[in-house]
Amino acid sequence: MLKNISTLCFFALLFWACEAPTEATNDGSETKEKTINTEETPAEYAIVIHGGAGTILRSDLTPEQDAAYREALNKALDIGEEILKNGGTSIDAVEQTIHFMEDSPLFNAGKGAVFNHEGHNEMDASLMMGNDRMAGAVGGVSNIKHPISAARAVMEKSPHVLLTGKGAEQFAADQNLEIVDPSYFYTQRRWDALQRALDREKEEGEAQVELDHNERKKGTVGCVALDKEGNIVAGTSTGGMTNKRWNRLGDSPIIGAGTFADNATCGVSCTGHGEFFIRWAVAYDVAARMAYKGIDINTAASEVINEELVKAGGEGGLIALDKMGNIAMPFNSEGMYRGYAKPGERVVAIYKD
């Protein structure tokens, strides 16, 4: 009899130990915490991109503009997916995909960068590896054609993580990266956006700092990729805010704020009001919630963007993928230029609906 009771107690304890951990809810009750399904089959590769978030409504874009953005997002995915499909590395896929987006005047990065208060373009970028957390970034550069490549060079060829301004430009030149005259970044619509901001500044007597050309879109580009070796890399590039002053830096060049990657959890690239993303360490917070709470990538990303950031008053979104190739693309604005691809699957979207 004693032996039977001992056996029953053993199995009861074993069943209790295997139950999912619980967390307290606001009303004091308990609910089971969601856990990552470690038995799912990983994707052979995966890539996800964004081109900025904000108040992007169907009524904001003409059919021609809508088609142009969708074509650009698809071309960007084509570049990265081709590299990954053929066994290339995630870092090459991220760099080359962002190159294309930096070359497009549609996005607020590289060629499409907005102007600061003095009428100059100041660009930021960062890149992070998920296998060893190596990272590189540049901020406030004005003559580097592809800031994302400068970020990679900082990571691979310097003992530092973040270089800014003239020092970053000199380093890029020393590494034989493509240097252009600052006039290369001039586009009429970005210049006109600055003039409108300056005019309102005179009328209203206070600074008019805008997040993008239409005053409602948060302009940044980003890419996260998972290669066949299981390595995750995340990268982000931006022109920052129209009419920004004093060499302002946003979250894009800040590791943990605008960009983060860890093979054990996920890779993240953010877009939105940078000051909030910095203070709430948004990119890292997604990975931390996965690691510490044991929740899946969509739950973690949604908690950060749709709960924590909303409570703080911040607007924007992010893209993320985990080691299994699961994709998250949450945003709390009306829209976000976004898309992803993995074997046999592709999505490109703009609006909330």
Side-chain angles (χ1 to χ4, degrees):
M1 177 67 72
L2 182 60
K3 182 177 180 181
N4 289 338
I5 293 174
S6 298
T7 301
L8 288 172
C9 290
F10 171 79
F11 282 108
L13 287 170
L14 182 62
F15 176 80
W16 176 83
C18 290
E19 282 285 279
T22 61
E23 66 170 357
T25 59
N26 291 335
D27 62 4
S29 63
E30 289 188 335
T31 181
K32 288 183 180 179
E33 183 71 271
K34 292 182 180 180
T35 57
I36 297 174
N37 181 2
T38 57
E39 296 179 355
E40 61 185 320
T41 303
E44 184 180 12
Y45 64 82
I47 183 171
V48 58
I49 61 174
H50 72 74
T55 308
I56 308 168
L57 304 171
R58 292 183 187 277
S59 57
D60 289 337
L61 300 178
T62 65
E64 293 75 19
Q65 290 171 325
D66 181 292
Y69 274 106
R70 292 180 189 276
E71 181 182 10
L73 291 169
N74 271 302
K75 284 184 177 179
L77 287 172
D78 286 343
I79 292 168
E81 185 173 23
E82 186 68 17
I83 293 170
L84 296 170
K85 184 168 57 178
N86 292 323
T89 63
S90 49
I91 189 169
D92 285 342
V94 169
E95 182 183 25
Q96 293 304 313
T97 298
I98 292 181
H99 269 200
F100 171 81
M101 300 180 84
E102 288 176 333
D103 288 341
S104 171
L106 291 175
F107 305 107
N108 179 16
K111 178 63 177 175
V114 299
F115 287 89
N116 67 7
H117 183 72
E118 290 75 28
H120 306 304
N121 306 100
E122 290 179 335
M123 293 154 288
D124 316 318
S126 63
L127 188 75
M128 188 170 185
M129 302 277 290
N131 62 330
D132 57 9
R133 291 203 186 186
M134 290 296 288
V138 293
V141 298
S142 60
N143 65 358
I144 302 172
K145 185 176 183 180
H146 294 121
I148 193 65
S149 291
R152 179 175 181 174
V154 171
M155 178 185 71
E156 295 180 336
K157 300 178 180 179
S158 87
H160 308 299
V161 171
L162 174 60
L163 300 180
T164 63
K166 297 300 181 183
E169 293 172 355
Q170 182 60 58
F171 174 79
D174 292 344
Q175 302 306 314
N176 296 315
L177 297 184
E178 189 168 2
I179 305 299
V180 295
D181 187 272
S183 61
Y184 164 81
F185 301 103
Y186 179 92
T187 59
Q188 190 64 48
R189 69 167 182 159
R190 302 303 197 193
W191 181 255
D192 292 343
L194 173 63
Q195 303 315 305
R196 290 194 297 270
L198 293 174
D199 288 342
R200 282 196 302 277
E201 196 165 89
K202 292 178 182 177
E203 294 172 4
E204 300 181 20
E206 59 182 18
Q208 298 290 315
V209 180
E210 301 169 1
L211 288 163
D212 203 354
H213 66 281
N214 62 6
E215 308 168 25
R216 298 184 294 177
K217 174 181 164 295
K218 283 67 179 173
T220 307
V221 305
C223 178
V224 187
L226 169 72
D227 61 28
K228 292 183 177 181
E229 299 299 317
N231 289 318
I232 297 172
V233 172
T236 310
S237 183
T238 187
M241 289 180 166
T242 295
N243 199 31
K244 63 184 178 181
R245 299 189 186 194
W246 309 300
N247 303 120
R248 175 261 186 190
L249 295 176
D251 64 303
S252 295
I254 308 299
I255 299 300
T259 304
F260 189 77
D262 187 337
N263 281 2
T265 51
C266 64
V268 181
S269 174
C270 300
T271 173
H273 195 156
E275 279 69 14
F276 288 91
F277 283 73
I278 293 171
R279 287 185 281 154
W280 267 261
V282 167
Y284 174 72
D285 195 16
V286 175
R289 287 167 186 260
M290 292 179 67
Y292 302 148
K293 297 178 69 177
I295 57 179
D296 64 90
I297 191 167
N298 276 289
T299 302
S302 181
E303 284 183 358
V304 175
I305 293 297
N306 296 315
E307 295 178 24
E308 297 302 320
L309 206 59
V310 169
K311 287 188 293 186
E315 184 182 355
L318 62 81
I319 54 170
L321 63 77
D322 66 15
K323 61 185 179 181
M324 309 304 286
N326 296 309
I327 303 291
M329 303 186 295
F331 53 96
N332 61 34
S333 51
E334 290 299 325
M336 181 170 76
Y337 298 112
R338 63 201 187 275
Y340 73 85
K342 46 181 148 178
E345 187 175 348
R346 176 176 290 207
V347 168
V348 165
I350 299 175
Y351 314 105
K352 180 171 286 187
D353 56 355

